[in-house]
Coordinates of all heavy atoms in Angstrom, one line a residue:
I204 N -5.6 -153.7 23.1 CA -7.0 -153.5 23.5 C -7.1 -152.6 24.8 O -8.0 -151.8 24.9 CB -7.7 -154.8 23.7 CG1 -7.7 -155.6 22.5 CG2 -9.2 -154.6 24.2 CD1 -8.2 -157.1 22.6
L207 N -6.9 -149.0 23.8 CA -8.2 -148.6 23.3 C -9.1 -148.2 24.4 O -9.8 -147.1 24.3 CB -8.8 -149.7 22.4 CG -8.0 -150.4 21.3 CD1 -8.8 -151.3 20.6 CD2 -7.4 -149.3 20.4
G208 N -9.2 -149.0 25.4 CA -10.2 -148.8 26.5 C -9.8 -147.5 27.2 O -10.6 -146.7 27.6
L209 N -8.4 -147.3 27.4 CA -8.0 -146.1 28.2 C -8.3 -144.8 27.4 O -8.7 -143.8 28.1 CB -6.5 -146.2 28.4 CG -5.8 -145.0 29.1 CD1 -6.3 -145.0 30.5 CD2 -4.3 -145.2 29.1
V211 N -10.9 -144.3 25.4 CA -12.3 -144.1 25.6 C -12.6 -143.6 27.0 O -13.4 -142.6 27.2 CB -13.1 -145.4 25.3 CG1 -14.6 -145.2 25.6 CG2 -12.9 -145.8 23.9
V212 N -12.0 -144.2 28.0 CA -12.3 -143.7 29.4 C -11.9 -142.3 29.6 O -12.7 -141.5 30.2 CB -11.5 -144.7 30.4 CG1 -11.5 -144.0 31.8 CG2 -12.2 -146.0 30.4
M215 N -14.4 -139.9 28.1 CA -15.7 -139.9 28.8 C -15.7 -139.4 30.2 O -16.7 -139.1 30.8 CB -16.4 -141.3 28.7 CG -16.7 -141.8 27.3 SD -17.7 -143.2 27.3 CE -16.8 -144.4 28.2
V225 N -21.8 -142.1 23.7 CA -21.0 -143.4 23.5 C -21.9 -144.6 23.9 O -22.0 -145.6 23.2 CB -19.7 -143.4 24.2 CG1 -19.0 -144.8 24.1 CG2 -18.8 -142.3 23.6
L283 N -12.4 -144.8 37.0 CA -12.4 -146.2 37.4 C -13.8 -146.9 37.1 O -13.9 -148.0 36.5 CB -12.0 -146.4 38.8 CG -11.5 -147.8 39.2 CD1 -10.4 -148.2 38.3 CD2 -11.0 -147.7 40.7
P284 N -14.9 -146.2 37.5 CA -16.2 -146.8 37.1 C -16.4 -147.0 35.6 O -17.0 -148.0 35.2 CB -17.2 -145.8 37.7 CG -16.5 -145.1 38.8 CD -15.1 -145.0 38.3
L285 N -15.9 -146.0 34.9 CA -16.0 -146.1 33.4 C -15.2 -147.3 32.9 O -15.6 -148.0 32.0 CB -15.5 -144.8 32.7 CG -16.5 -143.6 32.9 CD1 -15.8 -142.3 32.4 CD2 -17.8 -143.8 32.2
A286 N -14.0 -147.5 33.5 CA -13.2 -148.7 33.1 C -13.9 -150.0 33.3 O -13.9 -150.9 32.5 CB -11.9 -148.6 33.9
W287 N -14.6 -150.1 34.5 CA -15.3 -151.4 34.7 C -16.5 -151.5 33.7 O -16.8 -152.7 33.3 CB -15.9 -151.3 36.2 CG -14.8 -151.5 37.2 CD1 -14.5 -150.6 38.2 CD2 -14.0 -152.7 37.4 NE1 -13.4 -151.1 38.9 CE2 -13.2 -152.4 38.5 CE3 -13.9 -153.9 36.8 CZ2 -12.2 -153.3 39.0 CZ3 -12.9 -154.8 37.2 CH2 -12.1 -154.5 38.3
M288 N -17.1 -150.4 33.3 CA -18.1 -150.5 32.3 C -17.6 -151.0 31.0 O -18.2 -151.8 30.3 CB -18.8 -149.2 32.1 CG -19.6 -148.7 33.3 SD -20.3 -147.0 33.1 CE -20.7 -146.5 34.7
I289 N -16.4 -150.5 30.6 CA -15.8 -150.9 29.3 C -15.4 -152.3 29.4 O -15.6 -153.1 28.4 CB -14.5 -150.0 29.1 CG1 -14.9 -148.5 28.8 CG2 -13.7 -150.6 27.9 CD1 -15.7 -148.3 27.5
I290 N -14.9 -152.8 30.5 CA -14.5 -154.2 30.7 C -15.8 -155.1 30.5 O -15.7 -156.1 29.9 CB -13.9 -154.4 32.1 CG1 -12.5 -153.8 32.1 CG2 -13.7 -155.9 32.4 CD1 -11.8 -153.7 33.4
A291 N -16.9 -154.7 31.2 CA -18.1 -155.5 31.1 C -18.6 -155.5 29.6 O -19.1 -156.5 29.1 CB -19.2 -154.9 32.0
Y292 N -18.5 -154.4 29.0 CA -18.9 -154.3 27.6 C -18.1 -155.2 26.7 O -18.6 -155.9 25.8 CB -18.8 -152.9 27.0 CG -18.8 -152.8 25.5 CD1 -20.0 -153.0 24.8 CD2 -17.6 -152.6 24.8 CE1 -20.0 -152.9 23.4 CE2 -17.6 -152.6 23.5 CZ -18.8 -152.7 22.8 OH -18.7 -152.7 21.4
G293 N -16.8 -155.2 26.9 CA -15.9 -156.0 26.1 C -16.2 -157.5 26.3 O -16.2 -158.3 25.3
F294 N -16.5 -158.0 27.5 CA -16.9 -159.4 27.7 C -18.2 -159.7 27.0 O -18.3 -160.7 26.3 CB -17.0 -159.7 29.2 CG -17.4 -161.1 29.5 CD1 -16.5 -162.1 29.4 CD2 -18.7 -161.4 29.8 CE1 -16.9 -163.4 29.7 CE2 -19.1 -162.7 30.0 CZ -18.2 -163.7 30.0
A295 N -19.2 -158.8 27.1 CA -20.5 -159.1 26.4 C -20.3 -159.1 24.9 O -20.9 -160.0 24.2 CB -21.5 -158.0 26.8
L507 N -14.2 -148.4 19.7 CA -15.0 -149.6 20.2 C -15.1 -150.7 19.1 O -15.2 -151.9 19.4 CB -16.3 -149.1 20.7 CG -16.4 -148.3 21.9 CD1 -17.8 -147.9 22.3 CD2 -15.7 -149.1 23.1
L510 N -12.0 -152.5 19.6 CA -12.0 -153.1 21.0 C -12.8 -154.4 21.0 O -12.3 -155.4 21.4 CB -12.5 -152.1 22.0 CG -12.4 -152.6 23.5 CD1 -12.1 -151.4 24.4 CD2 -13.7 -153.2 23.9
V549 N -10.5 -160.7 28.4 CA -10.9 -159.5 29.0 C -10.2 -159.2 30.3 O -9.9 -158.0 30.6 CB -12.5 -159.5 29.2 CG1 -12.9 -158.3 30.0 CG2 -13.2 -159.6 27.9
W552 N -6.6 -157.7 29.3 CA -6.5 -156.3 28.9 C -7.2 -155.4 29.9 O -6.9 -154.2 30.1 CB -7.1 -156.0 27.5 CG -8.5 -156.3 27.2 CD1 -9.1 -157.4 26.5 CD2 -9.7 -155.5 27.5 NE1 -10.4 -157.3 26.4 CE2 -10.8 -156.1 27.0 CE3 -9.8 -154.2 28.2 CZ2 -12.1 -155.6 27.1 CZ3 -11.1 -153.7 28.3 CH2 -12.2 -154.4 27.8
L556 N -5.8 -151.9 31.5 CA -6.7 -150.7 31.5 C -6.8 -150.1 32.9 O -6.7 -148.9 33.1 CB -8.1 -151.1 31.0 CG -9.2 -150.0 31.1 CD1 -8.8 -148.7 30.4 CD2 -10.5 -150.5 30.6

Side-chain angles (χ1 to χ4, degrees):
I204 300 171
L207 308 185
L209 180 65
V211 175
V212 167
M215 298 191 300
V225 172
L283 204 52
L285 290 170
W287 288 115
M288 293 178 198
I289 293 292
I290 289 169
Y292 162 76
F294 178 77
L507 290 179
L510 185 145
V549 171
W552 64 256
L556 171 59

